[in-house]
Amino acid sequence: MIETKQLQLNYGEKVIIEPLDLFLPKGEITILIGSNGCGKSTLLRSIARLLKPKSGSILLNAEDITSLSAKETAKKLSILPQQPLAPEGLTVLQLVKQGRFPYQNWRKQWSSEDQQIVEQAIAATGLTEFKDCEIESLSGGQRQRAWIAMTLAQQTDIILLDEPTTYLDLTHQIEVLDLLSKLNQEENRTIVMVLHDINLACRYATNMIALVNKGIYAQGKPKEIVTVKLIQDVFQLKCEIIEDPIYGTPMCIPYGNRK
Amino acid sequence: MKKLLNLQSRFYSQLIDLSALKQLGILIVVVAITFIISLSIGDSFISPLKVISILSGNGSEFDTLIVQEFRMPRIIVALFAGMGLAVSGAILQGIIRNPLASPDVIGISAGAGGAVVAFLAIFSDTNYSLTVSMEWMPVAAFVGALVTALLVYGLSWTNGVTATRLVMIGVGIAAFMQATSTVLMLAGPIYQASKANIWITGSVNSATWEQVKIIIPVIACLFFLSLLVTRHLNLQQFGDDVATSLGQGVQKTRLALLLLCTALVGSAVAFSGTIGFVGLMAPHIARRLVGSSFGSLIPVSACIGGILVVLADTIGRSMFGSIEVPAGVFTAAIGAPYFIYLLIKMQKR
C-alpha cells in the first residue's frame, strides 16, 4: 500500500505536481489518466523513487520510502519504465534473471529458488518457448511480456508500469492488459499504471485517478467518476459517454471537426 | 540454445554459460601460445620448444639470460597491462552503455599521461637528469588517472551523473590533458620530450622484473574485484530507471565502478604508457564472442587485451630491424580504423 503526504514534484523550478495527498489501495488496479504533460508519469516515477520529490514524503506500507534500503524497497515495489532498453544480444532468460537482483549477493548469485521463480515468471507470461531468443527478435507484445516477466521475478506485491502499451497494436495492448489483470486477480498483486487509452483504462481499472492542473481531479471506480464533464475538464475534449457493450464500463466517444 | 551450468554449493552459487567457458578456455591456450612465441622472437630466434625447456629450467645459460632477463619482463608487463586496459574498457562501456566508450575517450589515460609528463618536467635539474627516483613515475600516472577521473565525474555531476554527460565532459578533459602534455613537452628539454613522447605512445621496452612484481598482484587483485561486481555491471547496462527499480544504488555503484576502472587504467598505464585503443577493441571483440553478460565478458576481454598488447609489442621490437617501434603505435594503427568502423556500423543501425 502506498501513500503520499504533501508530495510536491518539480522539474527544476517548474512545479509539476502541487503538494498532494494520494492513497493507492492494496490489491487494486489503479490507472492514472490525464492529458499529455499533466505529470502522471512524473508522479508514478517519483513513487518508484526514480525521481526525487521537491518536498513531502512517500510511504510504503506506512514506512517512509527514503528510510528503506534500495534492496529492501526493490523486494516490495517494482516499476517498469516507459520503453526500457535491453543491452544488445540479451536473451529472454538473461533479462528475466535480472529480476532476482535484490535477492542476490556476490556469493549467492544464482540459487535454485531463483531458477524456479524465473522459470515460473517466464511461464506466467507465456514465453517458455522463447526463453533463449534474443529480445530484439521478439514482437513488440512479446518484448513487453518479457519485461513484465522480469518484474514478476522480482516478486513484489506492488508493480508500477509507465504506459506499458505504448507503441503496441491493439491486439498486443489487450494481451498485456489481460496479463496484468490476471496477475491482479490470481496473485493479488497491486498494480498502478499510466495509460493513454481512456476506454481501455475504464475496462481494466478498479480504481481510476484523473489528474489535471498539477493535482487530482477525481479518484474512484471508472463507472462512478468518468463523465462527459470529467473528459471535458481533464482532456478539454467534447464527447459522449456510452456503455462498453462487452464490459459494461464507460466508453468515451469523442466529437471532432467532422461532426 | 545456450548450455548453462548451474553451480550450487553452500558457499557460492552461480549460473555459468558453458559455451563462454569453452571460449575462455580456448583463449587461455591462445594467450599461452602467444606468450611462448613472443619469447622466442627477437634479435636471435630461440625456438618455442627451446623456450619451453628454458621455462622448465633446462636451457643453456645464454638463452636463459635472453629469455628470462631481456624478453620475459616486458612480455609479462605487456600481457598484464593489456588485461588491465581491456577490463577497464569493458567496465567503462558497461557504465556508459556505449561500445565507443573507453578510458582513452573519457580522458583517464590522457590524465595519466599528462601527469607523467608533468613529473618529468618538474623533477628535472639543469643537467636534465631526474632529481627523484624513476620509480615514482607509476605513482604519478596513477594519481593523474585518479584526479582526471574524479574531475570528469565531478564536472558531470548534476543530481547524479548520466552516461552522456560523462562522455562529453570526458572528451573535453582528454583534449585539455593532451594539450597540457604538449605544452610541457615543448617547454621542457628535448631529451625529456622524446622520453615522454615514447611513454605517451605506449611502450613496455623499459620493463623490469621489479615492475613485474608490482603489476602482477595489482592487476590480478583488480581483476578478481571486477569479477565480483559483474552482476552490478550487468544491471548498469539497463540504465538508471531499471537498475533503481531492481534495488541498485545506481550513483554509488557507478562511482565505485569508475574508481575500479581508474585503478585498472592507472596501474596499466603506469608501467606501459598510454597504449591506446586496447580498452576499446578488446571488450568489443569479446562481446562478439560471448555476448554482453559481464561474467563472461570480463575474463574474455582480459585475454584478448593481453594478446593484443603482447602481439603489438612483439611486432614492434622485431619487424623493423634495429628500430624499435612502441607497442602503442600498432594498437593505434589497428585501433583507429576499428573505431571508425564501429562508428559507421552504429550510424547504419
Side-chain angles (χ1 to χ4, degrees), chain B residues 158-218:
Chain B
T158 35
N159 261 328
V161 168
T162 63
T164 334
R165 230 171 15 228
L166 209 58
V167 172
M168 298 316 267
I169 302 273
V171 168
I173 297 283
F176 175 76
M177 289 295 174
Q178 277 151 7
T180 312
S181 303
T182 310
V183 169
L184 286 171
M185 274 158 66
L186 287 173
I190 290 174
Y191 156 76
Q192 266 153 33
S194 68
K195 178 135 187 90
N197 203 10
I198 286 178
W199 196 84
I200 281 183
T201 319
S203 167
V204 289
N205 75 337
S206 58
T208 61
W209 274 109
E210 275 67 46
Q211 293 183 345
V212 170
K213 278 178 198 154
I214 305 171
I215 198 171
I216 291 182
V218 171

Side-chain angles (χ1 to χ4, degrees), chain A residues 45 49-50 70 74 79 81 87-88 90 95 98 101-102 104-111 115 132 154, chain B residues 1-2 4 6 8 11-15 228 231-232 235 237-238 241-242 244-247 292 349:
Chain A
R45 288 168 58 79
R49 82 228 130 96
L50 302 186
I79 182 166
E88 211 180 319
L90 208 74
L95 175 67
Q98 302 300 325
F101 183 86
Q104 296 165 336
N105 55 48
W106 70 270
R107 275 186 13 180
K108 216 182 86 184
Q109 303 223 9
W110 190 247
S111 67
Q115 174 87 31
D132 294 302
Q154 206 177 331
Chain B
M1 162 106 203
K2 270 198 173 144
L4 299 167
N6 203 341
Q8 297 290 335
F11 182 69
Y12 186 80
S13 63
Q14 174 70 286
L15 195 62
L228 289 182
R231 52 185 217 103
H232 286 281
L235 209 50
Q237 285 194 300
F238 286 88
D241 286 0
V242 173
T244 307
S245 171
L246 286 166
S292 55
R349 273 206 305 168

Side-chain angles (χ1 to χ4, degrees), chain B residues 35-48:
Chain B
F35 184 73
I36 289 168
I37 289 178
S38 170
L39 278 174
S40 56
I41 293 174
D43 285 341
S44 66
F45 180 81
I46 300 165
S47 83

Side-chain angles (χ1 to χ4, degrees), chain A residues 187-199:
Chain A
E187 301 178 18
N188 202 28
R189 308 229 199 190
T190 306
I191 289 173
V192 183
M193 61 180 149
V194 169
L195 269 194
H196 265 305
D197 189 312
I198 178 96
N199 292 333

Side-chain angles (χ1 to χ4, degrees), chain B residues 91-115:
Chain B
I91 293 175
L92 206 59
Q93 288 174 11
I95 307 175
I96 296 184
R97 279 179 287 136
N98 188 325
L100 296 183
S102 79
D104 322 73
V105 175
I106 75 156
I108 302 181
S109 307

Side-chain angles (χ1 to χ4, degrees), chain A residues 12 15 17 41-42 46 51 57 82 86 107 119 123 141 150-151 175 180 182 184 190 192 203 211 219 225-226 258:
Chain A
V15 179
I17 297 283
S41 284
T42 310
S46 79
L51 273 178
S57 56
Q82 214 178 109
R107 275 186 13 180
E119 268 166 22
M150 185 191 83
T151 56
E175 181 185 293
L180 293 171
K182 194 174 125 194
N184 169 253
T190 306
V192 183
R203 267 193 181 186
L211 292 169
Q219 173 166 5
I225 65 162
V226 177
R258 294 179 64 187

Side-chain angles (χ1 to χ4, degrees), chain A residues 120-223:
Chain A
Q120 273 170 10
I122 292 174
T125 47
L127 289 172
T128 307
E129 57 178 312
F130 302 104
K131 193 168 86 178
D132 294 302
C133 293
E134 289 186 8
I135 304 290
E136 296 107 275
S137 70
L138 301 179
S139 74
Q142 289 166 339
R143 207 174 296 177
Q144 191 65 320
R145 266 160 40 202
W147 283 99
I148 292 172
M150 185 191 83
T151 56
L152 286 184
Q154 206 177 331
Q155 290 210 306
T156 57
D157 284 336
I158 305 164
I159 303 176
L160 312 183
L161 304 101
D162 193 359
E163 295 187 23
T165 56
T166 312
Y167 300 119
L168 297 183
D169 61 35
L170 195 54
T171 320
H172 291 123
Q173 291 183 30
I174 300 286
E175 181 185 293
V176 166
L177 291 170
D178 274 346
L179 170 65
L180 293 171
S181 163
K182 194 174 125 194
L183 290 168
N184 169 253
Q185 280 167 7
E186 291 176 5
E187 301 178 18
N188 202 28
R189 308 229 199 190
T190 306
I191 289 173
V192 183
M193 61 180 149
V194 169
L195 269 194
H196 265 305
D197 189 312
I198 178 96
N199 292 333
L200 289 178
C202 287
R203 267 193 181 186
Y204 287 92
T206 58
N207 178 39
M208 186 179 255
I209 298 175
L211 292 169
V212 77
N213 284 337
K214 301 165 187 169
I216 294 181
Y217 177 88
Q219 173 166 5
K221 292 203 184 312
K223 247 187 175 162

